[in-house]
Amino acid sequence: MATVTRLRAMLTVPEVCAELQISRSTFYDWRQKGRAPRCITLPNGSLRVRRTDLENWLNAREDAA
C-alpha cells in the first residue's frame, strides 16, 4: 500500500504538463534553464516530479498581489 501511495505522489512529465497546461517542449525548455520543478531521473532515463516539489515550486511563484 505504501508503494501505491508513493507512486501517486510522483508525477510523469506528461502529467505535470497537463496540470500546468504547458507543452512538453516548454517543460524541457524550463528544465534546461533551471526554471522547472525539481525532477528525479530514474535509471531508465525517465523523469518524475514529486507532487510536493511541484506544489512548492508553484507556491514559490505565487504573486504577492
Side-chain angles (χ1 to χ4, degrees), residues 28 31 40-48:
Y28 284 111
R31 183 164 157 74
I40 298 166
T41 304
L42 300 179
N44 67 358
S46 296
L47 296 177
R48 295 293 184 272

Side-chain angles (χ1 to χ4, degrees), residues 28-55:
Y28 284 111
D29 182 53
W30 289 354
R31 183 164 157 74
Q32 183 180 15
K33 294 175 180 175
R35 296 180 182 166
R38 283 179 23 162
C39 296
I40 298 166
T41 304
L42 300 179
N44 67 358
S46 296
L47 296 177
R48 295 293 184 272
V49 177
R50 286 186 185 99
R51 166 70 61 191
T52 54
D53 287 339
L54 179 59
E55 295 297 328

Side-chain angles (χ1 to χ4, degrees), residues 20 22 30 34-38 52-62:
L20 297 176
I22 60 169
W30 289 354
R35 296 180 182 166
R38 283 179 23 162
T52 54
D53 287 339
L54 179 59
E55 295 297 328
N56 291 338
W57 180 82
L58 287 169
N59 288 337
R61 277 142 191 81
E62 200 169 283

